[in-house]
Amino acid sequence: MEEQFGGGTAAPLSTYTEAVDWINSLIPFGIRPGLERIALLLERLGEPQRRLKFIHVAGTNGKGSTCAFLTSVLLQSGYSVGTFTSPYITKFTNRFQYNGTDIPEETLTVIANRLRPLVEEIAGSELGSPTMFEVATALAILYYAEFSYPDVVVWETGLGGRLDVTNIVTPIVSIITNVGYDHTDVLGDTLTKIAAEKAGIIKPGVPAVSCVSQPEAVAVLKAKAAECNSTLYLAGEGFSYESTGSRGGVQTFTFKGPFRNVPLEIAMKGEHQISNAAGAMMALEVLRQYMAFMLEDEDVLEGFRRTFWAGRLEEVVTSPRIVLDGAHNPEGAESLARSLPQIYKYNQLNLLMGMLANKHHESYFKHILPIVDTLILTEPDFRKKMDAEELQAIAESLREKYAKEHLAIIVERDWGKALQLLKSMTTDDDLAVVSGTLYLISDVRGTLLQQPDSEKGW
Protein backbone atom coordinates (compact mmCIF):
# COMPACT_ATOMS: atom_id res chain seq x y z
CA MET A 1 0.00 0.00 0.00
CA GLU A 2 1.33 3.43 -0.97
CA GLU A 3 1.00 6.48 1.28
CA GLN A 4 1.09 10.12 0.29
CA PHE A 5 4.06 12.01 1.73
CA GLY A 6 4.28 15.76 1.17
CA GLY A 7 2.95 15.59 -2.36
CA GLY A 8 4.95 12.51 -3.39
CA THR A 9 4.51 8.83 -2.75
CA ALA A 10 6.63 6.60 -0.55
CA ALA A 11 6.15 3.17 0.91
CA PRO A 12 5.67 3.00 4.67
CA LEU A 13 8.69 2.20 6.82
CA SER A 14 8.14 -1.50 7.39
CA THR A 15 10.96 -2.37 9.80
CA TYR A 16 12.84 -0.85 12.73
CA THR A 17 16.00 -0.70 10.60
CA GLU A 18 14.19 1.26 7.89
CA ALA A 19 12.78 3.64 10.50
CA VAL A 20 16.19 4.34 12.08
CA ASP A 21 17.80 4.67 8.64
CA TRP A 22 15.18 7.27 7.71
CA ILE A 23 15.73 9.24 10.95
CA ASN A 24 19.51 9.06 10.49
CA SER A 25 19.14 10.22 6.88
CA LEU A 26 18.28 13.61 8.40
CA ILE A 27 21.73 13.88 10.07
CA PRO A 28 23.18 15.90 7.14
CA PHE A 29 20.77 18.71 8.06
CA GLY A 30 23.03 19.11 11.09
CA ILE A 31 22.30 20.96 14.33
CA ARG A 32 20.15 23.98 13.56
CA PRO A 33 19.29 25.85 16.77
CA GLY A 34 15.74 27.14 16.88
CA LEU A 35 12.27 25.96 17.82
CA GLU A 36 10.21 26.82 14.71
CA ARG A 37 10.28 23.38 13.10
CA ILE A 38 9.64 21.38 16.31
CA ALA A 39 6.85 23.82 17.26
CA LEU A 40 5.13 23.32 13.91
CA LEU A 41 5.59 19.55 14.09
CA LEU A 42 4.02 19.34 17.55
CA GLU A 43 1.22 21.72 16.56
CA ARG A 44 0.30 19.34 13.71
CA LEU A 45 0.31 16.49 16.25
CA GLY A 46 -2.06 18.28 18.64
CA GLU A 47 0.53 19.56 21.19
CA PRO A 48 1.11 16.18 22.90
CA GLN A 49 3.85 17.66 25.13
CA ARG A 50 1.20 19.55 27.11
CA ARG A 51 -0.06 16.27 28.57
CA LEU A 52 3.29 15.43 30.20
CA LYS A 53 5.25 16.49 33.31
CA PHE A 54 8.91 17.12 32.51
CA ILE A 55 12.06 17.53 34.59
CA HIS A 56 14.32 19.45 32.19
CA VAL A 57 18.08 18.91 32.62
CA ALA A 58 20.78 21.08 30.99
CA GLY A 59 24.49 21.63 31.68
CA THR A 60 27.94 21.12 30.21
CA ASN A 61 28.72 17.90 32.10
CA GLY A 62 26.73 15.59 34.35
CA LYS A 63 23.40 15.74 32.50
CA GLY A 64 23.26 12.01 31.86
CA SER A 65 24.27 11.08 35.39
CA THR A 66 21.75 13.54 36.87
CA CYS A 67 19.02 12.03 34.67
CA ALA A 68 20.07 8.57 35.88
CA PHE A 69 19.81 9.61 39.56
CA LEU A 70 16.37 11.14 39.02
CA THR A 71 15.08 8.13 37.09
CA SER A 72 16.37 5.65 39.65
CA VAL A 73 14.88 7.43 42.67
CA LEU A 74 11.51 8.06 41.02
CA LEU A 75 11.25 4.43 39.87
CA GLN A 76 12.22 3.20 43.32
CA SER A 77 9.50 5.46 44.74
CA GLY A 78 6.82 3.81 42.61
CA TYR A 79 6.48 6.36 39.81
CA SER A 80 6.49 5.47 36.12
CA VAL A 81 9.27 7.39 34.37
CA GLY A 82 10.15 8.30 30.82
CA THR A 83 13.83 9.11 30.25
CA PHE A 84 15.02 10.91 27.12
CA THR A 85 18.81 11.20 26.81
CA SER A 86 21.53 11.51 24.18
CA PRO A 87 23.85 10.40 22.74
CA TYR A 88 23.11 6.72 23.15
CA ILE A 89 25.78 4.23 24.14
CA THR A 90 24.55 0.94 22.67
CA LYS A 91 21.45 1.26 20.52
CA PHE A 92 19.27 4.01 19.03
CA THR A 93 16.35 2.93 21.21
CA ASN A 94 18.39 3.78 24.36
CA ARG A 95 17.30 7.40 23.92
CA PHE A 96 13.67 6.64 24.64
CA GLN A 97 13.27 4.70 27.87
CA TYR A 98 10.18 3.95 29.89
CA ASN A 99 10.78 2.56 33.39
CA GLY A 100 14.38 1.80 32.45
CA THR A 101 13.47 -0.19 29.32
CA ASP A 102 14.06 0.94 25.72
CA ILE A 103 11.16 1.79 23.43
CA PRO A 104 10.06 -1.39 21.57
CA GLU A 105 11.37 -1.44 18.00
CA GLU A 106 7.86 -1.91 16.56
CA THR A 107 6.56 1.13 18.50
CA LEU A 108 9.40 3.28 17.21
CA THR A 109 8.53 2.16 13.67
CA VAL A 110 4.84 3.02 14.12
CA ILE A 111 5.67 6.51 15.44
CA ALA A 112 8.26 7.12 12.69
CA ASN A 113 5.60 6.36 10.06
CA ARG A 114 3.31 8.88 11.70
CA LEU A 115 6.00 11.56 11.72
CA ARG A 116 7.39 11.01 8.24
CA PRO A 117 4.67 12.73 6.13
CA LEU A 118 4.70 15.74 8.48
CA VAL A 119 8.49 15.95 8.33
CA GLU A 120 8.48 15.83 4.53
CA GLU A 121 5.73 18.45 4.39
CA ILE A 122 7.78 20.83 6.57
CA ALA A 123 10.89 20.00 4.52
CA GLY A 124 9.06 21.38 1.49
CA SER A 125 8.34 24.69 3.24
CA GLU A 126 10.57 27.71 3.78
CA LEU A 127 11.55 26.29 7.20
CA GLY A 128 13.48 23.44 5.58
CA SER A 129 13.73 19.87 6.82
CA PRO A 130 13.50 19.06 10.51
CA THR A 131 16.80 17.65 11.78
CA MET A 132 17.46 14.18 13.12
CA PHE A 133 17.36 15.46 16.71
CA GLU A 134 14.11 17.34 16.11
CA VAL A 135 12.48 14.16 14.82
CA ALA A 136 13.89 12.12 17.72
CA THR A 137 12.51 14.70 20.17
CA ALA A 138 9.05 14.60 18.58
CA LEU A 139 9.21 10.80 18.59
CA ALA A 140 9.98 10.82 22.32
CA ILE A 141 7.08 13.14 23.08
CA LEU A 142 4.64 10.99 21.11
CA TYR A 143 5.94 7.81 22.77
CA TYR A 144 5.37 9.22 26.23
CA ALA A 145 2.12 11.09 25.51
CA GLU A 146 0.32 8.40 23.51
CA PHE A 147 1.93 5.01 24.17
CA SER A 148 3.53 4.70 27.63
CA TYR A 149 1.96 7.51 29.74
CA PRO A 150 4.69 8.02 32.40
CA ASP A 151 3.97 9.99 35.57
CA VAL A 152 7.03 12.14 34.83
CA VAL A 153 9.56 12.50 32.00
CA VAL A 154 13.26 13.10 32.74
CA TRP A 155 14.20 15.27 29.78
CA GLU A 156 17.84 15.94 28.81
CA THR A 157 18.80 18.81 26.54
CA GLY A 158 20.78 18.02 23.42
CA LEU A 159 22.94 21.14 23.20
CA GLY A 160 22.73 24.38 25.14
CA GLY A 161 19.20 25.13 26.28
CA ARG A 162 17.62 28.34 25.02
CA LEU A 163 17.37 27.25 21.38
CA ASP A 164 17.68 23.52 22.00
CA VAL A 165 14.79 21.51 20.54
CA THR A 166 13.94 20.05 23.97
CA ASN A 167 13.12 23.58 25.17
CA ILE A 168 9.74 23.30 23.46
CA VAL A 169 8.34 21.90 26.72
CA THR A 170 7.37 23.64 29.95
CA PRO A 171 8.76 21.55 32.83
CA ILE A 172 7.74 21.24 36.47
CA VAL A 173 11.35 21.84 37.54
CA SER A 174 14.53 22.77 35.62
CA ILE A 175 18.09 21.65 36.45
CA ILE A 176 21.33 23.23 35.19
CA THR A 177 24.16 20.98 36.36
CA ASN A 178 27.14 23.20 35.55
CA VAL A 179 28.64 25.49 32.91
CA GLY A 180 31.92 24.90 31.09
CA TYR A 181 33.61 25.20 27.73
CA ASP A 182 31.90 22.86 25.28
CA HIS A 183 30.23 23.41 21.90
CA THR A 184 31.64 26.94 21.91
CA ASP A 185 31.16 27.07 18.13
CA VAL A 186 27.40 27.11 18.75
CA LEU A 187 26.96 28.41 22.31
CA GLY A 188 29.58 31.16 22.46
CA ASP A 189 33.16 31.40 23.67
CA THR A 190 32.70 32.85 27.17
CA LEU A 191 31.15 31.39 30.31
CA THR A 192 28.67 34.27 30.35
CA LYS A 193 27.44 33.46 26.84
CA ILE A 194 27.30 29.71 27.51
CA ALA A 195 25.47 30.28 30.82
CA ALA A 196 22.90 32.45 29.01
CA GLU A 197 22.16 29.57 26.63
CA LYS A 198 21.81 27.06 29.49
CA ALA A 199 19.67 29.50 31.48
CA GLY A 200 17.23 29.50 28.56
CA ILE A 201 15.51 26.44 30.03
CA ILE A 202 14.35 28.49 33.06
CA LYS A 203 10.64 29.13 32.48
CA PRO A 204 8.26 31.63 34.13
CA GLY A 205 7.23 30.44 37.57
CA VAL A 206 9.05 27.09 37.27
CA PRO A 207 11.58 26.39 40.06
CA ALA A 208 15.18 25.84 38.95
CA VAL A 209 18.12 24.02 40.55
CA SER A 210 21.79 24.50 39.72
CA CYS A 211 25.27 23.49 40.89
CA VAL A 212 26.94 26.19 38.76
CA SER A 213 29.79 27.80 40.70
CA GLN A 214 31.55 30.42 38.55
CA PRO A 215 30.48 33.94 39.66
CA GLU A 216 29.84 35.24 36.14
CA ALA A 217 27.68 32.20 35.30
CA VAL A 218 25.82 32.40 38.63
CA ALA A 219 25.00 36.05 37.91
CA VAL A 220 23.44 35.08 34.56
CA LEU A 221 21.30 32.35 36.15
CA LYS A 222 20.12 34.65 38.95
CA ALA A 223 19.15 37.36 36.48
CA LYS A 224 17.19 34.91 34.32
CA ALA A 225 15.41 33.41 37.35
CA ALA A 226 14.47 36.90 38.58
CA GLU A 227 13.16 37.83 35.13
CA CYS A 228 11.01 34.67 35.14
CA ASN A 229 9.83 34.99 38.77
CA SER A 230 11.36 31.54 39.31
CA THR A 231 12.86 30.34 42.56
CA LEU A 232 16.51 29.37 41.96
CA TYR A 233 18.01 26.79 44.33
CA LEU A 234 21.75 27.29 43.96
CA ALA A 235 24.41 25.00 45.42
CA GLY A 236 26.20 26.87 48.18
CA GLU A 237 23.21 29.14 48.76
CA GLY A 238 19.85 27.35 48.55
CA PHE A 239 21.36 23.96 49.42
CA SER A 240 24.75 22.37 50.05
CA TYR A 241 26.44 18.99 50.26
CA GLU A 242 29.40 17.61 52.15
CA SER A 243 31.33 14.42 51.43
CA THR A 244 31.60 12.11 54.43
CA GLY A 245 33.99 9.59 52.88
CA SER A 246 33.73 6.32 50.96
CA ARG A 247 33.62 2.65 51.80
CA GLY A 248 33.44 -0.46 49.67
CA GLY A 249 33.25 1.53 46.45
CA VAL A 250 30.34 3.64 47.77
CA GLN A 251 30.62 7.41 48.30
CA THR A 252 28.73 8.92 51.23
CA PHE A 253 27.70 12.53 51.63
CA THR A 254 25.22 14.71 53.50
CA PHE A 255 22.70 16.72 51.52
CA LYS A 256 21.71 19.91 53.36
CA GLY A 257 18.59 21.46 51.89
CA PRO A 258 16.10 24.19 52.75
CA PHE A 259 13.60 21.63 54.06
CA ARG A 260 15.81 18.98 55.70
CA ASN A 261 19.23 17.31 55.77
CA VAL A 262 19.62 13.80 54.35
CA PRO A 263 22.60 11.38 54.42
CA LEU A 264 23.01 9.73 51.00
CA GLU A 265 25.16 7.05 49.35
CA ILE A 266 26.07 6.61 45.68
CA ALA A 267 27.96 3.86 43.89
CA MET A 268 28.78 6.16 40.98
CA LYS A 269 32.52 6.89 41.03
CA GLY A 270 34.16 10.32 41.13
CA GLU A 271 33.57 13.23 43.50
CA HIS A 272 31.82 15.17 40.70
CA GLN A 273 28.99 12.62 40.99
CA ILE A 274 28.27 13.91 44.49
CA SER A 275 27.50 17.30 42.95
CA ASN A 276 25.25 15.68 40.32
CA ALA A 277 23.45 13.65 42.99
CA ALA A 278 22.97 16.70 45.21
CA GLY A 279 21.43 18.66 42.34
CA ALA A 280 19.08 15.76 41.60
CA MET A 281 18.18 15.55 45.31
CA MET A 282 17.33 19.26 45.45
CA ALA A 283 15.01 18.84 42.45
CA LEU A 284 13.37 15.84 44.12
CA GLU A 285 12.92 17.88 47.30
CA VAL A 286 11.10 20.55 45.26
CA LEU A 287 8.78 17.87 43.85
CA ARG A 288 8.21 16.43 47.31
CA GLN A 289 7.64 19.74 49.07
CA TYR A 290 5.57 21.63 46.51
CA MET A 291 4.10 19.08 44.10
CA ALA A 292 2.96 16.31 46.44
CA PHE A 293 5.37 13.66 45.14
CA MET A 294 5.46 10.77 47.62
CA LEU A 295 9.17 10.09 48.13
CA GLU A 296 9.83 7.90 51.18
CA ASP A 297 13.30 8.18 52.72
CA GLU A 298 14.20 4.52 52.23
CA ASP A 299 13.22 4.69 48.54
CA VAL A 300 15.25 7.85 48.00
CA LEU A 301 18.30 6.27 49.67
CA GLU A 302 17.98 3.04 47.70
CA GLY A 303 17.36 4.91 44.44
CA PHE A 304 20.57 6.89 44.77
CA ARG A 305 22.53 3.82 45.88
CA ARG A 306 21.42 1.80 42.85
CA THR A 307 22.02 4.44 40.17
CA PHE A 308 24.23 3.37 37.26
CA TRP A 309 25.18 5.22 34.07
CA ALA A 310 27.20 3.54 31.33
CA GLY A 311 30.51 5.03 30.21
CA ARG A 312 31.08 7.17 33.30
CA LEU A 313 34.08 5.83 35.22
CA GLU A 314 32.74 2.40 34.34
CA GLU A 315 35.08 -0.56 34.92
CA VAL A 316 34.13 -2.98 32.15
CA VAL A 317 37.05 -5.43 32.33
CA THR A 318 38.94 -6.52 35.44
CA SER A 319 42.03 -8.25 33.98
CA PRO A 320 43.58 -6.03 32.84
CA ARG A 321 41.47 -3.33 34.44
CA ILE A 322 39.84 -1.17 31.75
CA VAL A 323 37.79 1.87 32.74
CA LEU A 324 35.59 3.81 30.30
CA ASP A 325 34.84 7.48 30.83
CA GLY A 326 33.24 9.84 28.33
CA ALA A 327 35.20 12.91 29.42
CA HIS A 328 35.44 14.97 26.24
CA ASN A 329 35.87 18.58 27.39
CA PRO A 330 38.18 20.43 29.82
CA GLU A 331 35.85 20.15 32.81
CA GLY A 332 35.33 16.42 32.20
CA ALA A 333 39.08 15.92 31.90
CA GLU A 334 39.68 17.77 35.16
CA SER A 335 37.18 15.53 36.99
CA LEU A 336 38.69 12.40 35.44
CA ALA A 337 42.26 13.40 36.33
CA ARG A 338 41.24 14.11 39.92
CA SER A 339 39.14 10.96 40.31
CA LEU A 340 41.41 8.24 38.91
CA PRO A 341 44.19 8.47 41.54
CA GLN A 342 41.55 8.74 44.29
CA ILE A 343 39.67 5.62 43.19
CA TYR A 344 42.36 3.29 41.83
CA LYS A 345 45.82 2.08 42.82
CA TYR A 346 48.10 1.40 39.83
CA ASN A 347 51.69 1.42 38.62
CA GLN A 348 51.19 2.71 35.09
CA LEU A 349 48.22 4.59 33.67
CA ASN A 350 47.66 3.86 29.99
CA LEU A 351 45.05 6.05 28.30
CA LEU A 352 43.43 5.57 24.91
CA MET A 353 41.54 8.56 23.55
CA GLY A 354 39.79 9.75 20.42
CA MET A 355 38.01 13.05 19.90
CA LEU A 356 35.70 14.97 17.62
CA ALA A 357 37.14 17.95 15.79
CA ASN A 358 35.17 20.65 17.61
CA LYS A 359 36.52 20.26 21.14
CA HIS A 360 38.97 22.16 23.35
CA HIS A 361 41.71 19.57 23.10
CA GLU A 362 44.56 21.70 24.46
CA SER A 363 42.75 22.36 27.74
CA TYR A 364 41.80 18.67 27.90
CA PHE A 365 45.46 17.61 27.63
CA LYS A 366 46.57 20.08 30.30
CA HIS A 367 44.49 18.14 32.83
CA ILE A 368 45.21 14.63 31.53
CA LEU A 369 48.92 14.64 30.62
CA PRO A 370 50.25 15.00 34.20
CA ILE A 371 48.80 11.63 35.26
CA VAL A 372 49.36 9.50 32.12
CA ASP A 373 52.30 7.17 31.42
CA THR A 374 51.30 6.00 27.94
CA LEU A 375 48.93 7.93 25.67
CA ILE A 376 47.43 6.14 22.66
CA LEU A 377 45.69 8.47 20.21
CA THR A 378 43.09 7.06 17.85
CA GLU A 379 40.09 8.13 15.79
CA PRO A 380 36.42 7.36 16.47
CA ASP A 381 34.41 5.83 13.66
CA PHE A 382 32.47 9.04 13.09
CA ARG A 383 32.33 11.68 10.39
CA LYS A 384 33.47 14.59 12.60
CA LYS A 385 36.49 12.79 14.04
CA MET A 386 39.65 14.62 15.00
CA ASP A 387 42.78 13.54 13.11
CA ALA A 388 44.96 11.51 15.51
CA GLU A 389 48.17 13.13 14.28
CA GLU A 390 46.72 16.58 14.94
CA LEU A 391 45.94 15.43 18.49
CA GLN A 392 49.52 14.18 18.73
CA ALA A 393 50.87 17.59 17.69
CA ILE A 394 48.83 19.29 20.43
CA ALA A 395 49.99 16.77 23.05
CA GLU A 396 53.63 17.11 22.00
CA SER A 397 53.43 20.91 22.23
CA LEU A 398 52.35 20.56 25.86
CA ARG A 399 54.72 17.72 26.79
CA GLU A 400 57.51 19.77 28.33
CA LYS A 401 55.25 21.79 30.62
CA TYR A 402 52.58 19.25 31.60
CA ALA A 403 53.60 15.65 30.90
CA LYS A 404 55.51 13.08 32.90
CA GLU A 405 59.15 12.84 31.83
CA HIS A 406 58.80 9.33 30.40
CA LEU A 407 55.41 9.83 28.68
CA ALA A 408 55.05 7.68 25.56
CA ILE A 409 52.68 8.94 22.85
CA ILE A 410 51.47 6.43 20.25
CA VAL A 411 49.25 7.08 17.21
CA GLU A 412 47.04 4.25 15.94
CA ARG A 413 44.20 5.54 13.76
CA ASP A 414 42.30 2.23 13.81
CA TRP A 415 40.50 2.23 17.14
CA GLY A 416 40.17 -1.57 17.16
CA LYS A 417 43.94 -2.02 16.82
CA ALA A 418 44.47 0.77 19.37
CA LEU A 419 42.27 -1.09 21.85
CA GLN A 420 44.24 -4.33 21.35
CA LEU A 421 47.45 -2.38 21.89
CA LEU A 422 46.05 -0.87 25.10
CA LYS A 423 45.11 -4.33 26.42
CA SER A 424 48.46 -5.89 25.50
CA MET A 425 50.53 -3.24 27.28
CA THR A 426 48.45 -3.11 30.49
CA THR A 427 49.48 -5.53 33.24
CA ASP A 428 47.28 -6.47 36.21
CA ASP A 429 49.10 -3.84 38.28
CA ASP A 430 48.32 -1.11 35.74
CA LEU A 431 45.14 0.73 34.81
CA ALA A 432 43.83 1.20 31.27
CA VAL A 433 41.42 4.05 30.58
CA VAL A 434 39.46 4.79 27.41
CA SER A 435 38.29 8.39 27.24
CA GLY A 436 37.13 11.08 24.85
CA THR A 437 34.07 11.24 22.65
CA LEU A 438 31.16 8.94 23.50
CA TYR A 439 31.26 7.71 19.88
CA LEU A 440 34.56 6.00 20.72
CA ILE A 441 33.31 4.87 24.15
CA SER A 442 30.27 3.31 22.47
CA ASP A 443 32.36 1.23 20.06
CA VAL A 444 34.90 0.16 22.67
CA ARG A 445 32.19 -0.76 25.17
CA GLY A 446 30.31 -2.84 22.61
CA THR A 447 33.53 -4.68 21.74
CA LEU A 448 34.66 -5.33 25.32
CA LEU A 449 31.19 -6.45 26.47
CA GLN A 450 30.71 -8.47 23.26
CA GLN A 451 27.54 -6.71 22.16
CA PRO A 452 27.45 -7.49 18.45
CA ASP A 453 24.21 -5.55 17.84
CA SER A 454 25.69 -2.35 19.25
CA GLU A 455 24.69 0.72 17.26
CA LYS A 456 25.92 4.20 17.92
CA GLY A 457 25.39 7.81 17.03
CA TRP A 458 24.12 11.14 18.14
Side-chain angles (χ1 to χ4, degrees):
M1 186 180 115
E2 297 282 309
E3 284 190 19
Q4 291 291 324
F5 290 121
T9 61
L13 304 161
S14 58
T15 66
Y16 163 74
T17 302
E18 283 183 16
V20 173
D21 286 348
W22 169 66
I23 296 168
N24 283 333
S25 76
L26 303 172
I27 286 176
F29 293 106
I31 298 168
R32 293 153 64 198
L35 302 176
E36 304 88 357
R37 289 172 299 277
I38 189 70
L40 182 57
L41 197 50
L42 292 175
E43 182 186 312
R44 300 277 168 86
L45 292 164
E47 308 286 5
Q49 77 277 14
R50 293 186 178 174
R51 302 198 290 276
L52 298 164
K53 293 185 174 74
F54 294 91
I55 301 174
H56 202 179
V57 182
T60 300
N61 293 307
K63 295 189 296 293
S65 299
T66 299
C67 289
F69 284 124
L70 291 165
T71 298
S72 180
V73 173
L74 288 165
L75 282 176
Q76 186 67 32
S77 299
Y79 289 93
S80 58
V81 185
T83 311
F84 179 63
T85 56
S86 62
Y88 55 88
I89 292 286
T90 307
K91 194 172 163 69
F92 188 82
T93 52
N94 294 165
R95 297 171 177 279
F96 321 91
Q97 293 203 333
Y98 173 71
N99 289 350
T101 301
D102 288 9
I103 184 174
E105 292 183 1
E106 57 272 23
T107 306
L108 185 145
T109 308
V110 166
I111 300 174
N113 272 311
R114 185 160 166 210
L115 289 171
R116 191 176 173 201
L118 299 175
V119 168
E120 298 200 358
E121 187 182 318
I122 294 169
S125 75
E126 68 280 0
L127 289 176
S129 177
T131 65
M132 183 279 287
F133 192 64
E134 288 167 349
V135 172
T137 301
L139 196 153
I141 287 171
L142 276 181
Y143 177 51
Y144 298 133
E146 299 186 6
F147 289 82
S148 53
Y149 314 107
D151 296 317
V152 65
V153 179
V154 177
W155 192 243
E156 182 188 351
T157 56
L159 194 157
R162 182 176 66 93
L163 297 175
D164 186 73
V165 188
T166 62
N167 206 28
I168 199 68
V169 311
T170 298
I172 54 175
V173 61
S174 304
I175 303 175
I176 300 169
T177 57
N178 51 41
V179 171
Y181 290 99
D182 203 354
H183 301 293
T184 51
D185 51 332
V186 178
L187 303 180
D189 56 4
T190 68
L191 286 179
T192 301
K193 289 177 182 175
I194 296 169
E197 293 300 319
K198 309 287 186 194
I201 73 164
I202 298 176
K203 298 291 200 314
V206 176
V209 173
S210 183
C211 292
V212 167
S213 58
Q214 305 96 325
E216 62 269 47
V218 166
V220 170
L221 265 58
K222 285 184 172 179
K224 179 65 175 178
E227 176 193 323
C228 290
N229 277 331
S230 299
T231 303
L232 175 63
Y233 297 92
L234 192 67
E237 294 184 19
F239 68 101
S240 63
Y241 49 92
E242 185 180 338
S243 173
T244 50
S246 62
R247 58 177 184 275
V250 171
Q251 297 190 83
T252 62
F253 69 101
T254 301
F255 169 86
K256 299 178 179 180
F259 315 121
R260 59 179 181 155
N261 299 342
V262 185
L264 294 171
E265 298 179 352
I266 55 171
M268 296 273 280
K269 296 183 175 74
E271 61 184 39
H272 54 289
Q273 294 295 1
I274 295 178
S275 171
N276 294 330
M281 181 64 189
M282 186 64 247
L284 291 165
E285 283 288 88
V286 169
L287 299 184
R288 175 178 165 274
Q289 191 74 12
Y290 295 120
M291 298 175 202
F293 274 63
M294 299 295 291
L295 304 171
E296 300 294 343
D297 287 2
E298 58 267 31
D299 292 327
V300 171
L301 292 171
E302 186 64 15
F304 275 107
R305 198 181 292 124
R306 292 172 60 165
T307 301
F308 165 77
W309 191 237
R312 274 63 170 190
L313 279 170
E314 179 189 9
E315 189 172 330
V316 288
V317 178
T318 54
S319 184
R321 290 177 300 169
I322 302 180
V323 171
L324 308 183
D325 190 80
H328 57 268
N329 53 38
E331 290 75 22
E334 184 179 12
S335 292
L336 180 62
R338 192 169 57 242
S339 298
L340 288 172
Q342 290 175 351
I343 298 167
Y344 298 100
K345 299 280 189 291
Y346 49 82
N347 288 337
Q348 301 269 312
L349 177 63
N350 304 321
L351 187 131
L352 166 65
M353 65 171 283
M355 287 288 197
L356 299 190
N358 61 344
K359 300 296 177 183
H360 288 253
H361 307 308
E362 186 171 311
S363 299
Y364 182 98
F365 279 128
K366 286 177 182 177
H367 292 298
I368 287 294
L369 289 179
I371 67 166
V372 174
D373 296 289
T374 303
L375 178 65
I376 305 173
L377 301 172
T378 192
E379 295 174 0
D381 181 16
F382 191 66
R383 67 191 187 285
K384 293 181 181 177
K385 65 188 178 186
M386 177 77 171
D387 183 277
E389 289 187 355
E390 288 182 39
L391 276 179
Q392 181 188 26
I394 297 170
E396 288 290 358
S397 73
L398 299 169
R399 176 194 284 273
E400 187 175 340
K401 187 171 181 183
Y402 293 96
K404 289 185 175 182
E405 194 174 329
H406 61 267
L407 172 69
I409 301 179
I410 302 167
V411 172
E412 173 49 74
R413 293 178 187 274
D414 183 317
W415 69 263
K417 291 179 181 175
L419 178 59
Q420 289 305 316
L421 180 61
L422 178 74
K423 290 165 74 173
S424 68
M425 67 169 45
T426 303
T427 71
D428 284 346
D429 293 327
D430 299 334
L431 181 67
V433 176
V434 183
S435 186
T437 174
L438 284 168
Y439 297 107
L440 175 65
I441 300 297
S442 171
D443 276 334
V444 169
R445 190 173 188 273
T447 299
L448 293 174
L449 296 180
Q450 298 178 322
Q451 296 172 325
D453 65 340
S454 180
E455 306 166 8
K456 72 160 188 311
W458 200 80

